[in-house]
């Protein structure tokens, strides 16, 4: 899962980036509206945190431009507590949720998790597939109740697959959702990663769809 943070206050941006990374997300950061607008339009994010007060292009204009272009990723806006009108304008401009500054990072994280969950059609924070459980609230993965230790990259991969279980996910799509923009992406690494996950979980859980990609198959659909 990959998130874009658009925030010109470097201190706040660093705090948000840190808490998201710790929770297992790949994170890109933009410090002005134009860069944010460009990244949100060209890169596939699973969610975006967007400050409304930004240099070069304000957050509301950025948001409207994404929505006009048909970009439908979940967007959480950061607003000032005193400006309820901005919040209303943001929500009506296509935002999915908001937090008012100053905010608790834990609340921001919980809201992001909920947005990602909802946008992929899940209500419960615990994702299940064939004896595998991934708890998005605490990052725990279990197999038939036993804890499975995953690296950050393995966790991101499983999280993306389990949020989109049943769908065929190409290597390119997977790559775009588990690495940030600064990362040197190598799709050969994906095969190695998938094989490591198969070994740690259940070998038959992640299927290879030749020429198409990978598919996490729920047991009742097998
Ligand atoms: Ca700002």
């Amino acid at each position: 899962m990959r998130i874009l943070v658009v925030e010109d206050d470097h201190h706040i941006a660093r705090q948000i980036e840190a808490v998201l990374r710790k929770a297992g997300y790949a994170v890109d950061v933009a410090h002005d509206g134009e860069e944010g607008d460009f990244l949100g339009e060209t890169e596939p994010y699973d969610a975006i945190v967007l400050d409304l007060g930004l240099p070069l292009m304000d957050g509301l204009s950025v948001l409207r431009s994404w929505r006009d272009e048909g970009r439908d990723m979940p967007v959480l806006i950061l607003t000032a507590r005193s400006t309820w009108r901005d919040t209303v304008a943001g929500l009506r401009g296509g935002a999915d949720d908001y937090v008012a500054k100053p905010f608790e990072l834990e609340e921001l994280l919980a809201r992001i998790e909920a947005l990602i969950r909802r946008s992929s059609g899940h209500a419960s924070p615990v994702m299940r597939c064939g004896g595998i459980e991934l708890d998005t609230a605490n990052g725990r993965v279990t197999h038939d109740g036993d804890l499975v230790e995953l690296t950050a990259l393995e966790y991101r991969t499983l999280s993306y697959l389990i949020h989109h279980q049943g769908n065929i996910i190409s290597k390119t799509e997977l790559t775009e959702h588990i690495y940030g923009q600064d990362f040197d992406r190598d799709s050969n690494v994906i095969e190695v990663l998938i094989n490591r996950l198969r070994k740690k979980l259940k070998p038959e859980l992640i299927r290879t769809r030749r020429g198409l990609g990978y598919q996490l198959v729920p047991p009742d659909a097998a």
Side-chain angles (χ1 to χ4, degrees):
M1 292 289 176
R2 182 179 172 201
I3 297 177
L4 173 66
V5 177
V6 191
E7 166 63 82
D8 59 316
D9 182 316
H10 287 243
H11 178 65
I12 296 176
R14 266 198 302 275
Q15 282 185 321
I16 297 174
E17 183 184 10
V19 79
L20 291 173
R21 281 195 198 282
K22 191 159 174 254
Y25 297 99
V27 184
D28 293 339
V29 179
H31 295 293
D32 65 66
E34 280 182 2
E35 190 192 3
D37 179 48
F38 175 75
L39 285 175
E41 207 171 296
T42 52
E43 297 286 327
Y45 292 103
D46 296 294
I48 296 182
V49 177
L50 176 68
D51 185 30
L52 288 187
L54 291 169
L56 301 182
M57 184 173 174
D58 70 89
L60 196 54
S61 303
V62 172
L63 178 61
R64 286 185 178 137
S65 114
W66 288 335
R67 295 315 191 208
D68 286 348
E69 298 282 330
R71 308 286 290 176
D72 63 357
M73 63 280 175
V75 175
L76 179 148
I77 51 173
L78 303 178
T79 64
R81 195 170 292 277
S82 54
T83 55
W84 65 268
R85 283 185 179 83
D86 285 354
T87 307
V88 171
L91 291 169
R92 291 202 169 130
D96 300 277
D97 199 0
Y98 76 98
V99 292
K101 292 177 175 178
F103 54 85
E104 293 296 327
L105 289 164
E106 199 62 31
E107 181 184 350
L108 177 80
L109 181 61
R111 288 182 180 276
I112 288 287
E113 284 161 5
L115 284 182
I116 291 177
R117 209 158 72 211
R118 285 288 177 184
S119 76
S120 58
H122 300 274
S124 166
V126 181
M127 308 279 158
R128 296 184 177 85
C129 187
I132 303 297
E133 281 193 7
L134 182 148
D135 188 341
T136 55
N138 57 22
R140 275 168 60 98
V141 175
T142 55
H143 177 194
D144 293 337
D146 295 329
L147 192 65
V148 182
E149 295 282 352
L150 298 179
T151 65
L153 198 55
E154 289 165 356
Y155 177 81
R156 277 209 285 281
T157 306
L158 177 65
S159 180
Y160 191 77
L161 289 172
I162 208 163
H163 275 81
H164 301 280
Q165 57 186 284
N167 297 354
I168 295 172
I169 312 291
S170 72
K171 271 191 204 174
T172 308
E173 180 177 346
L174 201 50
T175 307
E176 285 174 339
H177 286 271
I178 63 171
Y179 292 116
Q181 57 163 343
D182 297 333
F183 209 89
D184 185 19
R185 296 172 193 166
D186 176 359
S187 67
N188 291 323
V189 173
I190 299 290
E191 274 174 46
V192 177
L193 195 56
I194 291 288
N195 284 330
R196 281 212 314 259
L197 267 179
R198 281 177 175 143
K199 276 187 198 131
K200 288 190 178 182
L201 304 165
K202 288 181 174 179
E204 71 277 15
L205 196 71
I206 305 171
R207 301 199 177 173
T208 301
R209 298 296 188 191
R210 203 156 294 282
L212 298 172
Y214 300 101
Q215 187 182 27
L216 192 67
V217 187
D220 49 5

